Amino acid sequence: MKICVTGGMGYIGSHTVIELIKKGHEPVIVDNLVNSNPEVLNRIKKIVKVKPKFYEIDLRDEKKLDKCFQKEKFDVVIHFAGLKSVGESVKKPKLYYDNNIGSSKVLLKVMKKHKVRNIIFSSSATVYGVPKHVPLRETDPVGKAANPYGQTKIEIEKILMKVAKEDKKMNVVLLRYFNPVGAHESGLIGEDPNGIPNNLMPYITQVAVGRRKELTIFGNNYPTKDGTCIRDYIHVVDLAMGHLAALKAIKKKWGLKIYNLGTGKGTSVLELVKAFNRANKLKIKFVYGPRRPGDVVKNYANASKAYKELNWKATHSIVDMCRDSYNWQKKNPTGYQKAKK
Ligand code: NAD
Ligand code: UFG
């Protein structure tokens, strides 16, 4: 299949492009490089011996996007593109609404014009808000967004649900990711955040390579077994495979489908640090700090629907995730920017 991969130069998109190529699909990347590096294309070529086609386009540029769709004749769109920093979204909510919601609207308009009727969208567990219980099921209500970033995911989901309702020929798959971590086993591609990482795993790997002095664990007095928060970490390659499973399952008149992509297992911050130490024979220095405002105590998926309907389940362990994250960071201590080519 010929697949338009928006945001395909980014962390999750690039891993998915690799798996798509491996399965004989033809992914075409559309990305404006606002949070990614052109070096990603060389890395993909090193891994799969194919350099995917790449259009440097801001999705909000309807004219350019239209031209691209005119030329390429896509079967499916996998829509990763978006800004994703929670902290930045609080400071610049308008930018987030404009970029994430605005670009999704333009994309849908162009898809409609070119009769592309299949879309897989990168949603997030953040749409559940503060969970009333765990594990979370797809039938659980969408909650109140904790920040503008989360609000954009809720809004885009709503727009896509409406599109699926109004156009019976549309197939819409909403994939709600839990906490993606890890990297391709080659260590050639991985997560490359700008500035100080907001997320736990990139912070740990940067401590491991000496870029940061120590990890601060945000809160150790939560009502959990060791006092630290619990998340559902999922290997990015498992996540990529989840998209392939969804792609395979899309049939005519599939309508709207929603799936959690997680492992179904909760891991505490302290457990993740210990697993990282074990996997990499290291000792990550950490201190306990105050709670981070807005953090939920426990968040993990019931991922049984994806298994039942898509025959997909995560196969990588926490140790695999820790090993692969560190392998990427060790080989690219400063990310793509100064990495040896
Ligand atoms: P990423 O920042 O690495 O990748 C996103 C890509 O989108 C980047 O390459 C960026 O340049 C591009 N982009 C952003 N705005 C664009 C625009 N207007 N036009 C064209 N390209 C644009 O992020 P990621 O971690 O790979 O996340 C991919 C998707 O998954 C995002 O939608 C994100 O919100 C969602 N998601 C991520 C996580 C996570 O923890 N990483 C969790 C849940 C959901
Ligand atoms: N944490 C630390 N120290 C750090 C960074 C994180 O202790 O330096 C803790 C957090 O307090 C939290 C856990 O590690 O308890 C995980 O934090 P992350 O920021 O890695 O992940 P979150 O679950 O908080 O957030 C992620 C995405 C959001 C998304 C959310 C829900 O970053 O974009 O999952 O899907 F909205």
Side-chain angles (χ1 to χ4, degrees):
M1 271 192 269
K2 192 156 187 183
I3 301 154
C4 171
V5 185
T6 79
M9 297 293 276
Y11 172 48
I12 305 168
S14 56
H15 285 83
T16 306
V17 164
I18 284 173
E19 300 307 322
L20 288 169
I21 294 172
K22 275 164 68 179
K23 280 275 176 318
H25 294 293
E26 191 188 341
V28 175
I29 299 174
V30 178
D31 197 305
N32 66 355
L33 298 177
V34 65
N35 197 36
S36 45
N37 191 299
E39 170 64 10
V40 168
L41 286 179
N42 301 326
R43 303 298 180 89
I44 293 175
K45 185 165 180 212
K46 265 194 185 160
I47 297 171
V48 283
K49 318 285 176 238
V50 176
K51 198 169 192 168
K53 217 184 228 185
F54 167 52
Y55 287 83
E56 187 173 341
I57 296 177
D58 187 312
L59 284 184
R60 291 166 294 181
D61 188 335
E62 190 180 329
K63 243 185 167 167
K64 281 193 185 158
L65 193 64
D66 181 59
K67 262 195 180 159
C68 164
F69 270 66
Q70 178 71 41
K71 196 159 168 233
E72 298 295 342
K73 313 259 181 280
F74 296 117
D75 301 301
V76 182
V77 172
I78 306 185
H79 181 30
F80 292 104
L83 297 172
K84 62 161 183 179
S85 161
V86 169
E88 187 186 46
S89 82
V90 174
K91 287 189 203 118
K92 301 176 185 168
K94 207 181 156 299
L95 171 70
Y96 271 66
Y97 297 134
D98 182 48
N99 189 79
N100 294 3
I101 304 173
S103 62
S104 300
K105 284 184 178 165
V106 172
L107 176 65
L108 283 164
K109 191 173 168 197
V110 173
M111 282 176 68
K112 190 171 181 183
K113 182 173 168 199
H114 294 276
K115 299 191 172 51
V116 181
R117 294 197 165 105
N118 302 302
I119 181 166
I120 299 174
F121 172 61
S122 304
S123 191
S124 165
T126 194
V127 302
Y128 293 113
V130 180
K132 288 201 177 68
H133 61 93
V134 279
L136 285 155
R137 285 178 180 274
E138 293 82 351
T139 45
D140 285 324
V142 164
K144 199 175 159 286
N147 48 64
Y149 164 73
Q151 191 60 37
T152 68
K153 291 293 174 199
I154 293 176
E155 294 299 328
I156 299 167
E157 279 205 357
K158 274 194 209 154
I159 293 169
L160 286 166
M161 285 174 188
K162 193 163 169 259
V163 165
K165 209 170 166 189
E166 286 171 2
D167 180 352
K168 298 290 176 227
K169 287 186 183 152
M170 272 298 280
N171 291 312
V172 172
V173 186
L174 308 179
L175 299 180
R176 294 176 177 163
Y177 311 157
F178 281 68
N179 289 59
V181 296
H184 189 265
E185 60 173 3
S186 63
L188 285 167
I189 59 168
E191 190 172 9
D192 184 19
N194 283 327
I196 302 170
N198 300 308
N199 300 116
L200 181 60
M201 185 62 98
Y203 205 105
I204 293 177
T205 60
Q206 291 196 10
V207 172
V209 295
R211 263 174 83 181
R212 314 264 158 218
K213 192 171 133 248
E214 62 194 9
L215 169 74
T216 302
I217 294 182
F218 301 139
N220 63 341
N221 56 359
Y222 284 101
T224 60
K225 53 192 159 185
D226 60 25
T228 66
C229 290
I230 290 176
R231 295 289 183 274
D232 187 341
Y233 299 96
I234 172 167
H235 197 292
V236 66
V237 173
D238 280 330
L239 199 59
M241 296 308 289
H243 294 74
L244 268 92
L247 200 61
K248 210 170 147 195
I250 290 180
K251 298 178 199 83
K252 263 188 185 170
K253 296 194 179 165
W254 224 42
L256 172 78
K257 298 278 176 178
I258 305 176
Y259 297 103
N260 285 338
L261 294 186
T263 63
K265 272 188 230 118
T267 303
S268 76
V269 176
L270 203 56
E271 282 172 338
L272 190 74
V273 173
K274 284 182 183 163
F276 191 90
N277 288 342
R278 243 191 352 264
N280 299 307
K281 301 189 173 52
L282 285 168
K283 214 166 169 63
I284 293 297
K285 203 172 161 208
F286 71 85
V287 291
Y288 289 113
R291 290 181 175 195
R292 184 172 68 176
D295 264 342
V296 302
V297 184
K298 286 183 197 169
N299 199 0
Y300 55 95
N302 178 320
S304 61
K305 187 179 174 200
Y307 183 52
K308 224 161 108 192
E309 295 186 13
L310 304 178
N311 197 24
W312 170 90
K313 70 171 184 216
T315 60
H316 291 77
S317 69
I318 284 285
V319 168
D320 299 333
M321 300 177 211
C322 293
R323 183 200 56 223
D324 292 341
S325 291
Y326 182 50
N327 183 41
W328 147 255
Q329 193 75 83
K330 215 171 30 179
K331 288 185 174 156
N332 307 271
T334 52
Y336 290 112
Q337 214 64 46
K338 290 179 194 143
K340 281 194 195 104
K341 303 220 167 122

